Amino acid sequence: QVQLQESGPGLVKPSETLSLICTISGYSISRGYHWGWIRQPPGKGLEWIGSVFHNGDTNYSPSLRSRVTISVDTSKNQISLRLSSVTAADTAVYYCARVFQGSGADYWGQGTLVTVSS
Amino acid sequence: DIQMTQSPSSLSASVGDRVTITCRASRTINSYSNWYQQKPGRAPKLLIYTASSLQSGVPSRFSGSGSGTDFTLTISSLQPEDSATYYCQQTFTTPYTFGQGTKLEIK
């Protein structure tokens, strides 16, 4: 059974960098698929942040591209998200997910709430 | 970015009703449309992928159709556990944008 688990600080100060890790179990990242990050501000809809392929190729949402980095560590079977210069607008539940290119995200983590506040 | 516009934004229906939610893409996405169900405090769950394929384990009362720019999600006979917010998504080209969501309430 494929399982994903997000981890990282739940509180980040404005202007600092948000860092999250997604640990995947039950499936080796090296086998393929894209692995994505999606976020959801409280009470709002879903926003695609970006994704990474097992070889490290990435794609990012244009609205976040200047501030986001997604990377993969196949040795640890993890992907990571870094979002710099955060503001209150980046407060959201952050999800990682397995993405079958063209066919959507079939496995999701439970999500982790990150609050940006001083 | 491709914009995905869902309608309605909310609806209320009774158990046993047939419910349809629509999604329109700002340009053609062939059949690369997916539908998710999200319940409060939970991660989204994939229901339909590539417009009409039913994800494994999803009840057969859920179905999808469409191609090009117009897509629909249909629940043939609404059940109490279908109360949720539903999102469409395009995976034709990155960024894989989502619709704004449709909140479905059971009367």
Side-chain angles (χ1 to χ4, degrees), chain A:
Chain A
Q1 175 75 346
V2 180
Q3 293 185 313
L4 296 86
Q5 178 69 58
E6 304 90 349
S7 60
L11 181 65
V12 180
K13 290 182 169 57
S15 80
E16 295 189 346
T17 296
L18 178 160
S19 296
L20 296 174
I21 289 174
C22 175
T23 301
I24 296 104
S25 58
Y27 189 88
S28 172
I29 288 179
S30 300
R31 291 177 57 189
Y33 281 97
H34 286 80
W35 302 87
W37 287 97
I38 300 101
R39 70 180 183 179
Q40 185 171 38
K44 296 187 178 180
L46 302 166
E47 179 183 17
W48 177 266
I49 299 172
S51 66
V52 61
F53 197 47
H54 68 91
N55 64 358
D57 287 349
T58 55
N59 69 81
Y60 302 128
S61 171
S63 65
L64 296 171
R65 182 175 290 134
S66 64
R67 298 194 291 130
V68 68
T69 303
I70 298 174
S71 58
V72 60
D73 186 336
T74 54
S75 67
K76 295 181 179 179
N77 223 40
Q78 293 176 336
I79 65 168
S80 65
L81 169 70
R82 288 175 58 85
L83 183 65
S84 64
S85 305
V86 297
T87 69
D90 295 309
T91 293
V93 175
Y94 286 76
Y95 296 100
C96 59
R98 187 177 82 167
V99 183
F100 192 36
Q101 191 172 7
S103 300
D106 59 351
Y107 287 97
W108 294 65
Q110 65 185 26
T112 187
L113 174 63
V114 179
T115 301
V116 179
S117 175
S118 55

Side-chain angles (χ1 to χ4, degrees), chain B residues 15-49:
Chain B
V15 172
D17 283 354
R18 181 181 182 90
V19 170
T20 298
I21 300 169
T22 64
C23 189
R24 173 164 289 178
S26 58
R27 59 181 176 95
T28 184
I29 57 171
N30 294 343
S31 294
Y32 292 108
S33 168
N34 314 301
W35 291 94
Y36 299 86
Q37 176 193 66
Q38 187 181 32
K39 297 184 178 181
R42 304 293 296 273
K45 173 186 175 182
L46 181 64
L47 299 176
I48 302 289
Y49 61 94

Side-chain angles (χ1 to χ4, degrees), chain B residues 71-90:
Chain B
F71 301 87
T72 60
L73 171 70
T74 299
I75 308 173
S76 60
S77 179
L78 193 64
Q79 299 301 302
E81 60 267 30
D82 300 335
S83 176
T85 300
Y86 293 84
Y87 293 93
C88 62
Q89 180 201 31
Q90 64 83 17

